[in-house]
Amino acid sequence: MSIIKNVAVLGASGNFGTPITSDLLAANFNVTIITRTTSTTAHPPSIPTLRIDYDLSSLIIAFANQDAVVCVVGPGGISLQKTFVDAAVAAGVKRFLIDDFGWGLTEKGFQEFGAIHAQRREGWDYAAQKAREVGEFTWTGLSTGNPIDWAMKKFPMMGFDVKTHRAIIYDSGNERFTGTTLSGIGQAVVGTLLNPSATANRFLAVQSICTNQNELLFAFEKATGEKWEVERHTSGELIKSGKEDFKTGAGMWRLKLAVATLYYVGQSRGMVAATREESDAELLGVREESADEIVAKLLQQ
Ligand SMILES: NC(=O)c1ccc[n+]([C@@H]2O[C@H](COP(=O)([O-])OP(=O)(O)OC[C@H]3O[C@@H](n4cnc5c(N)ncnc54)[C@H](OP(=O)(O)O)[C@@H]3O)[C@@H](O)[C@H]2O)c1
């Protein structure tokens, strides 16, 4: 497959789009940001930016001369994936990175996520269908699992309140899960585009670390030089409460069940691959990071 040089990013200033875009630039790709006419998001003025309506004809024009499109729009834009794929095919784009950055095709998610997953999957399946029909068009899905540094900082429910030095440990704290840092997510995209043949038409499992809550707590206490106040909860309580919230339409069900996915005892629901060797981290050049390194980054921010 020919070399990929020109890359358009949809969702470039989002939580994940920001590190992806800066890592693509650092790796010397020619990056163009595509954004909505209605967007209020600030984009770096130094990067070429096309502000367009997200209809098929405008997208085809925007994607002209792009070798790859990275789709990293937030949940509100997921339903547009089929239109993005149609535009990419019509514009002759060679690689479309579908909007996964989660758990890929896993069957291990709680059934409450079914409708969300089905909507995401519709776009992914469509990209796969187009790749079968149009030889030049290919896709990749990056299953990065838990975005560990971003998620720990944003959601104390994950167990670590970096500001108050308090922890919530679920069950024994020994359940292992994989995480990908923001820099790992950026590198995974770069690694995909640098290895177009090996990454074509498949999901790749990405991880920076495989860890558990006890290891992370140990790292936090070591780095801060103090014992953290620990509350004990169970993943069972979290699941029960998340499922009740789902039934009543309360907003926290997603977060509760997402955290429970990591810590549900004995289920390995939070692992994108059983071992680092079984993941695609090496192929993509995603560095292994220790709990100490990740914790140090969080405490510095
Ligand atoms: N694994 C996990 O735990 C996890 C956590 C978070 C996110 N994710 C996934 O990662 C991907 C990116 O999420 P994110 O949090 O980075 O996204 P985000 O920050 O919420 O949004 C990224 C960008 O998407 C564009 N966008 C927002 N709403 C849109 C809409 N209705 N139509 C079209 N574009 C829209 C906006 O770009 P413009 O304003 O420039 O148009 C926005 O800046 C998603 O698939 C998300 O589900 C996974």
Side-chain angles (χ1 to χ4, degrees):
M1 189 170 176
S2 58
I3 287 172
I4 289 175
K5 200 65 200 157
N6 297 339
V7 183
V9 184
L10 297 152
S13 292
N15 296 309
F16 297 178
T18 300
I20 289 170
T21 302
S22 63
D23 284 6
L24 285 169
L25 288 167
N28 290 320
F29 287 99
N30 301 325
V31 176
T32 301
I33 291 174
I34 313 237
T35 185
R36 299 162 293 163
T37 41
T38 53
S39 171
T40 51
T41 314
H43 299 290
S46 54
I47 307 175
T49 299
L50 296 175
R51 183 174 280 272
I52 59 165
D53 289 327
Y54 280 3
D55 58 62
L56 186 61
S57 52
S58 308
L59 285 161
I60 293 172
I61 295 166
F63 290 169
N65 298 320
Q66 297 297 337
D67 300 314
V69 171
V70 179
C71 182
V72 66
V73 296
I78 293 289
S79 60
L80 292 168
Q81 274 193 111
K82 283 168 85 173
T83 310
F84 295 149
V85 168
D86 278 333
V89 170
V93 168
K94 293 178 220 132
R95 176 63 49 87
F96 184 86
L97 268 72
I98 58 172
D99 208 336
D100 180 2
F101 305 102
W103 307 94
L105 297 174
T106 181
E107 300 288 323
K108 291 194 271 185
F110 289 98
Q111 65 181 27
E112 284 74 7
F113 288 111
I116 294 173
H117 187 70
Q119 190 189 44
R120 301 175 75 84
R121 188 156 178 173
E122 207 181 312
W124 306 345
D125 289 348
Y126 192 65
Q129 180 198 322
K130 286 291 161 191
R132 286 191 295 273
E133 291 169 6
V134 184
E136 289 298 295
F137 176 79
T138 59
W139 62 276
T140 303
L142 294 171
S143 304
T144 45
N146 176 254
I148 186 163
D149 50 349
W150 177 82
M152 276 205 288
K153 182 168 174 223
K154 192 167 169 72
F155 304 117
M157 196 189 287
M158 211 180 130
F160 303 97
D161 191 329
V162 179
K163 285 192 192 125
T164 61
H165 295 188
R166 289 198 190 123
I168 302 167
I169 300 295
Y170 297 92
D171 307 298
S172 69
N174 284 329
E175 184 70 15
R176 298 194 81 72
F177 67 98
T178 58
T180 307
T181 60
L182 290 180
S183 71
I185 292 172
Q187 175 56 38
V189 171
V190 168
T192 298
L193 300 181
L194 290 177
N195 295 284
S197 298
T199 58
N201 301 330
R202 51 180 289 229
F203 283 88
L204 289 100
V206 188
Q207 64 178 75
S208 308
I209 188 170
C210 179
T211 188
N212 64 29
Q213 280 202 292
N214 288 334
E215 286 174 6
L216 290 164
L217 178 61
F218 184 75
F220 274 116
E221 291 185 337
K222 190 165 70 158
T224 54
E226 64 181 85
K227 276 275 173 215
W228 282 31
E229 196 180 310
V230 174
E231 258 180 64
R232 298 266 162 192
H233 289 204
T234 68
S235 55
E237 288 161 6
L238 203 54
I239 293 166
K240 188 166 175 278
S241 166
K243 284 179 178 271
E244 277 166 12
D245 281 0
F246 176 78
K247 280 195 199 125
T248 59
M252 294 293 270
W253 72 266
R254 286 181 190 79
L255 179 58
K256 288 177 182 170
L257 294 182
V259 172
T261 299
L262 303 179
Y263 302 141
Y264 195 9
V265 181
Q267 304 271 321
S268 300
R269 289 183 184 225
M271 308 269 289
V272 295
T275 62
R276 182 172 167 87
E277 292 67 36
E278 284 179 44
S279 81
D280 298 290
E282 292 297 324
L283 166 68
L284 297 171
V286 174
R287 200 169 62 77
E288 186 159 24
E289 297 185 55
S290 66
D292 288 342
E293 275 178 273
I294 292 171
V295 158
K297 266 195 260 186
L298 278 177
L299 292 172
Q300 270 161 23
Q301 282 167 8

